[in-house]
């Protein structure tokens, strides 16, 4: 590492962009160090030095490009300055398409076939970079090279390279540790903690490539791919309880719901209710339901299937979010239904949405194109969409999203209202479900607790066999 980069590395520590200690990452995983380059916008001279280093790296590597695109959001100011230094135009990838005007996802002036370089702050798994590349290429640009500030050395670089792209990084974790240790900025004890902690998360290139196959990954290994905090939390609950069972408490009496929560609580990861069918309930009863979710470690889902204009959805969500952790949403209104939730007064980043992409009822009117567009919408709002309600593994490709599949019964095949049932093995093994929804088979059982325990066992066994 040359003197300029060494000085820059030490400066990152001084201004708090690089910290050492014990940190919980967005995925829920613990780390012995934390990189936060968002702070750099408050230090214009440091930002300028960093972008000079990025520009010089591109020149040294003889990278040719016509446009520059930063991965939102941290890398956007870096892309701006590098574009200025290289006298190249910048394009910007939006988080979601505009609902008006050109409705573009990629903003800026460019020509079809222009060669675009992608800039990122930190490479972990490479997932966010590959998502940006996919959108940029879809717009007609050509991507050959990626440049990042930090390589966490967790397999992301290999993952990107295996997709056919060249990767350039200013710093790697091992280089940073060596430099800071030699300069006396971190002591030997800190170095050892970093090394030991890194051993636990480092993956081989083969592991990272395999990780794109959601159904082959263990739940605990998928949390780092989650952009939705609720998805990461749910996967952690599933791993801790060894349960991928959701009980549908479609009951009209709140006291019966509370009793059922006690009976099945130890065996489930989600307790799903329809409060709109409950005859009456009090705030005290809702608080009691919330306390049971904490006691038994499960998430509460309101299966309201929100599907109205934005303002109405916002008002509905303000009530639901007072007690639930998750809500089901129809995608038929378009992006506005998700914008309404994000902009609701009571929204917080720990809340999760499940978009309905497919139904289990016979002769339903959902088409393959509708399902595909729902999946695209979920991807655009992956910070709040925790997963999708669907019937097939191909609908949910991202390992950070969760597939929830209803219509599971060990005995019945259908009812007289068009509902179709499948076995636990069918939905988990063949249909790719992460979580199976069981309703009447449990809530009408003579012993709901024992029945829920049996479903939990069979569903978990099917999942365990799937990831071997």
């Amino acid at each position: 590492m040359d003197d300029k980069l060494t000085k820059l590395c030490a400066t990152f520590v001084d201004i708090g962009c690089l910290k050492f200690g014990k940190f919980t990452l967005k995925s829920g995983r613990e780390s012995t160090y934390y990189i936060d380059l968002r702070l750099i916008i408050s230090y214009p001279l440091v930002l300028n030095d960093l972008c000079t280093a990025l520009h010089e790296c591109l020149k040294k590597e003889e990278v040719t490009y016509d446009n520059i695109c930063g991965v939102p959001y941290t890398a956007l100011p870096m892309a701006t300055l590098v574009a200025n230094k290289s006298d190249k135009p910048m394009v910007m990838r939006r988080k979601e398409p505009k609902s008006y005007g050109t409705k573009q996802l990629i903003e800026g002036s460019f020509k079809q076939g222009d060669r675009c370089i992608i800039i990122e702050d930190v490479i972990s798994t490479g997932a966010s970079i590959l998502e940006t590349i996919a959108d940029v290429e879809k717009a007609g640009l050509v991507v050959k090279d990626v440049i990042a500030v930090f390589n966490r050395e967790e397999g992301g670089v290999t993952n990107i390279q295996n997709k056919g792209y060249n990767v350039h990084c200013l710093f790697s974790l091992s280089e940073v540790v060596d430099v800071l240790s030699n300069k006396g900025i971190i002591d030997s004890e800190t170095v050892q903690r970093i090394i030991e902690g890194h051993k636990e998360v480092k993956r081989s290139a083969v592991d990272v490539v395999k990780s794109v196959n959601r159904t082959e990954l263990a739940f605990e290994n998928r949390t780092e791919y989650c952009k939705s905090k609720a998805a990461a939390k749910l996967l952690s609950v599933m791993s801790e309880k060894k349960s991928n069972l959701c009980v549908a408490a479609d009951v009209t009496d709140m006291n019966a719901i509370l009793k059922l929560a006690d009976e099945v609580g130890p065996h489930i990861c989600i307790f799903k209710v329809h409060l709109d069918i409950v005859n009456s309930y009090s705030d005290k009863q809702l608080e009691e339901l919330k306390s049971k979710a904490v006691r038994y470690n499960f998430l509460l889902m309101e299966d309201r299937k929100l599907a109205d204009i934005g303002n109405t959805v916002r008002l509905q969500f303000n009530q639901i979010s007072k007690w639930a952790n998750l809500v089901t949403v129809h995608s038929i209104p378009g992006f506005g239904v998700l914008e309404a939730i994000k902009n609701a007064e009571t929204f917080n980043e720990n809340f999760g949405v499940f978009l309905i992409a497919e139904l289990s009822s016979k002769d339903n009117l959902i088409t393959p194109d509708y399902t595909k567009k729902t999946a695209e919408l979920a991807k655009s709002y992956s910070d709040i969409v925790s997963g999708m309600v669907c019937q097939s593994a191909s609908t949910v490709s991202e390992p950070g999203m969760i597939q929830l599949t209803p219509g599971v019964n060990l005995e019945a095949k259908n009812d007289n209202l068009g509902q179709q049932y499948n076995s636990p093995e069918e939905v988990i093994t063949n249909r790719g479900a992460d979580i199976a929804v069981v309703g009447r088979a449990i809530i009408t059982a003579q012993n709901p607790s024992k029945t829920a325990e049996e479903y939990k066992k069979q569903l978990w066994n099917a999942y365990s066999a799937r990831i071997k």
Side-chain angles (χ1 to χ4, degrees), residues 428-441:
I428 301 297
T429 305
N430 299 330
R431 299 190 176 215
D434 297 314
I435 301 173
V437 183
V438 183
R440 280 168 281 183

Side-chain angles (χ1 to χ4, degrees), residues 306-374:
L306 299 174
D308 216 312
I309 61 172
N311 187 60
T312 301
V313 167
R314 179 178 61 83
L315 296 173
Q316 290 173 309
F317 179 82
N318 283 338
Q319 297 302 314
I320 292 169
S321 61
K322 291 178 181 178
W323 61 271
N325 311 108
L326 307 165
V327 67
T328 53
V329 173
H330 274 302
S331 61
I332 192 167
F335 78 95
V337 68
L338 296 175
E339 282 293 323
I341 291 173
K342 288 185 71 170
N343 294 317
E345 293 83 349
T346 59
F347 176 77
N348 72 82
E349 60 183 4
N350 295 308
F351 198 96
V353 168
F354 272 76
L355 278 182
I356 298 168
E358 294 172 308
L359 295 173
S360 58
S361 54
K362 184 179 180 181
D363 295 332
N364 68 79
L365 302 182
I366 289 180
T367 65
D369 186 58
Y370 180 89
T371 298
K372 179 182 178 182
K373 289 181 178 178
T374 300

Side-chain angles (χ1 to χ4, degrees), residues 10-19 34-37 39 43:
T11 302
F12 287 151
V13 179
D14 291 339
I15 65 176
C17 287
L18 180 56
K19 301 175 183 178
Y34 186 63
I35 303 168
D36 185 6
L37 288 179
L39 290 172
Y43 299 88

Side-chain angles (χ1 to χ4, degrees), residues 39 81 171 176 261 267 271 284 372 407:
L39 290 172
L81 263 69
F171 307 101
V176 169
H267 311 301
F271 192 67
K284 182 179 178 181
K372 179 182 178 182

Side-chain angles (χ1 to χ4, degrees), residues 146-158:
V146 170
I147 186 167
V149 180
F150 279 99
N151 172 17
R152 289 183 67 112
E153 297 181 301
E154 295 177 5
V157 168
T158 301

Side-chain angles (χ1 to χ4, degrees), residues 203 211 213-219 221-222 225 399 463 467:
R203 295 164 174 240
S211 70
N213 189 335
R214 171 183 60 86
T215 60
E216 293 181 3
L217 267 183
F219 294 144
N221 292 334
R222 287 169 51 185
Y225 295 95
Y463 153 74
I467 63 172

Side-chain angles (χ1 to χ4, degrees), residues 104-122:
Q104 294 182 133
L105 190 61
I106 305 299
E107 300 284 3
S109 179
F110 58 89
K111 302 190 300 292
Q112 298 288 302
D114 275 355
R115 185 162 172 167
C116 182
I117 187 167
I118 307 298
I119 295 182
E120 175 65 300
D121 60 333
V122 181

